Amino acid sequence: MVVDRRRKAMLQVGSKSLELVDGGEGDHLRYGLVERGSGVRRGIWVSEIEFIWLCLIFEDASSEYGKEFLRSYRGFMRKVKVRRLVLERGFILRVEVRVSGRAWHVLVPELCGNGGWVDISKKFWAFCGRSCSEGRVDGRSFLEVANIGEWPENTVAVGEKGEKRRGCDVDVRDDSTQKMMRFLERCLVGRMEKGGLALPAAMEVQRWAQKTWKVTAGVQVLELRGCLFLFLLPSFEEAQRVLQGDWIFKGRRLDLEWWSPVGCCVKPGDASSEVWVKILGLPLQFWDFEVFREIGNHCGGFLFVDEETRQRTHLQWARIAVRAPPENVPATVKIATGSWLFKVTLWVEKGPKVVFLPSLEVNLDRQEMSPEVQ
């Protein structure tokens, strides 16, 4: 017989009851909220940070009766929404969790007419062993501190024709990128040790990071270039905690560092003998390991095939690693079969070149740099 050892508490709210369930610290979706009533039984599961956010929102919903009340919390691939509705018997809060197009909800009525949800919020705080004062950090709510959130709308200002500084084609005003820079301050860049193996997909690394780092509000992982991944964390504090550890992904070392504006760029003196090459629009009849190996050898030396290419996750391009300096990889490769000759474009993954020059007058294609750059 399986014994349910999860901690539970029951709240009676009018003709309904709300059951709180604590799944334990090991669960990402730790807290359950089950609504029981006449012929009704439905529930939702939320993370610890989402549960704390609900405590704060229940308090806010009790003091803003004069206008529509709608709040939402966006985590990675999840959205929690609270809307206040007016029914014949009074007000009610509809708490909805939406994941990948599917949605679950519970209805939470007031304890008494126009009494709000403050008392319910207090019981929620007590259940999770926290207090209302812990729901805010440096004057900001957990929503602001711990939400991964969406990428900010960047309002970049570019110089018009005649206003650009000499030495550049696009002149971006430095202070206009500050909003995006603040967002990226809590991001880490990870370099995966190659070890002669194909790089894992970003989603695979993300699942590993979620399980290993135990970040309550989640982690988002995106591919950059080569063996680099961008890790989006919910706060600077969480990123700092992760940065202090030593991490091994399936036997391969993952080196982490803070994101920086020039971190993924090629600087003077940098040299690389291994690069990733994308084979753009490769005809599907050539999507085969032997063809990939032959193209790689033509570029300087085949190493391995990307995991997403091997699994045919998408067919826009094939991705292979080759042993060659980026400048030695040809721009195209010709593939013949029967009476047909295909000319396929190759794209080398490499970061932009970057130098620091107060005068901003430099040719990045030149080998020699002025003394002030060196």
Side-chain angles (χ1 to χ4, degrees):
M1 183 178 72
V2 178
V3 179
D4 189 352
R5 300 184 183 278
R6 296 179 297 183
R7 188 168 60 91
K8 299 180 180 181
M10 191 72 72
L11 307 178
Q12 195 65 37
V13 186
S15 60
K16 294 186 177 186
S17 65
L18 293 174
E19 182 182 27
L20 300 178
V21 183
D22 182 354
E25 294 185 0
D27 290 341
H28 170 58
L29 298 179
R30 176 172 179 176
Y31 292 104
L33 180 57
V34 181
E35 172 194 354
R36 303 178 189 274
S38 178
V40 174
R41 187 182 184 278
R42 52 194 168 208
I44 58 173
W45 282 92
V46 295
S47 67
E48 184 175 11
I49 204 71
E50 291 166 345
F51 188 80
I52 293 171
W53 177 77
L54 285 176
C55 296
L56 297 169
I57 293 304
F58 280 17
E59 295 171 9
D60 293 343
S62 304
S63 59
E64 299 183 13
Y65 279 97
K67 53 185 178 182
E68 181 185 11
F69 186 88
L70 174 63
R71 300 288 188 273
S72 61
Y73 176 97
R74 187 183 296 275
F76 178 64
M77 298 181 69
R78 289 172 55 83
K79 186 175 183 180
V80 183
K81 185 166 64 176
V82 177
R83 182 190 295 273
R84 187 174 58 211
L85 305 174
V86 183
L87 304 180
E88 292 182 1
R89 298 181 181 179
F91 292 94
I92 198 167
L93 290 182
R94 187 180 193 272
V95 184
E96 178 184 281
V97 175
R98 185 172 291 273
V99 183
S100 302
R102 298 186 62 189
W104 300 263
H105 77 275
V106 294
L107 300 179
V108 183
E110 300 171 290
L111 280 178
C112 58
N114 295 326
W117 295 266
V118 174
D119 290 337
I120 295 178
S121 175
K122 290 178 180 178
K123 295 180 184 298
F124 278 26
W125 282 120
F127 184 73
C128 67
R130 295 176 180 267
S131 64
C132 179
S133 60
E134 292 181 81
R136 302 186 181 274
V137 178
D138 296 331
R140 295 179 296 161
S141 71
F142 269 94
L143 170 64
E144 298 168 304
V145 174
N147 190 8
I148 290 180
E150 298 177 334
W151 286 78
E153 290 291 335
N154 211 16
T155 52
V156 171
V158 235
E160 298 294 334
K161 188 176 181 180
E163 298 177 355
K164 300 173 186 175
R165 290 172 290 176
R166 291 181 59 190
C168 66
D169 301 311
V170 180
D171 195 353
V172 177
R173 205 175 71 195
D174 190 43
D175 58 356
S176 68
T177 62
Q178 294 308 305
K179 188 175 181 180
M180 181 65 76
M181 297 279 278
R182 284 194 298 271
F183 177 82
L184 292 167
E185 281 177 354
R186 52 189 166 99
C187 296
L188 301 175
V189 174
R191 182 182 296 274
M192 184 76 69
E193 185 180 49
K194 294 179 182 177
L197 301 172
L199 283 179
M203 187 56 69
E204 185 182 359
V205 178
Q206 180 172 296
R207 286 193 294 266
W208 168 85
Q210 293 272 23
K211 182 179 179 181
T212 307
W213 296 346
K214 301 187 186 320
V215 178
T216 307
V219 182
Q220 188 175 2
V221 180
L222 302 170
E223 289 183 16
L224 288 173
R225 66 172 178 86
C227 53
L228 300 179
F229 294 89
L230 182 70
F231 294 84
L232 277 70
L233 288 110
S235 67
F236 176 85
E237 292 77 15
E238 286 281 24
Q240 198 168 37
R241 176 181 67 81
V242 169
L243 193 61
Q244 292 172 354
D246 292 323
W247 307 107
I248 303 295
F249 174 86
K250 294 186 176 180
R252 301 160 74 174
R253 183 175 177 81
L254 176 65
D255 293 316
L256 296 171
E257 61 182 26
W258 290 108
W259 174 89
S260 76
V262 296
C264 297
C265 300
V266 179
K267 307 171 189 66
D270 286 356
S272 175
S273 59
E274 297 179 3
V275 292
W276 283 97
V277 176
K278 284 181 177 175
I279 310 166
L280 304 181
L282 182 68
L284 298 185
Q285 66 269 29
F286 301 140
W287 204 280
D288 182 82
F289 179 83
E290 291 300 322
V291 175
F292 297 147
R293 184 171 64 178
E294 194 65 23
I295 293 174
N297 289 332
H298 174 71
C299 293
F302 172 79
L303 291 175
F304 44 79
V305 179
D306 177 60
E307 183 68 17
E308 288 192 347
T309 298
R310 192 176 62 81
Q311 295 183 0
R312 292 181 172 85
T313 303
H314 63 76
L315 303 175
Q316 300 175 66
W317 58 72
R319 190 169 180 248
I320 61 174
V322 302
R323 184 180 287 109
E327 59 273 13
N328 290 359
V329 176
T332 59
V333 61
K334 296 175 183 177
I335 304 174
T337 179
S339 302
W340 295 95
L341 179 66
F342 298 82
K343 189 175 181 180
V344 181
T345 301
L346 303 180
W347 180 58
V348 181
E349 294 185 16
K350 58 180 180 178
K353 296 180 180 179
V354 62
V355 295
F356 175 74
L357 257 190
S359 63
L360 255 183
E361 296 179 18
V362 63
N363 183 352
L364 290 177
D365 295 325
R366 290 173 54 188
Q367 293 297 323
E368 63 277 358
M369 296 292 176
S370 64
E372 56 184 321
V373 177
Q374 298 173 355

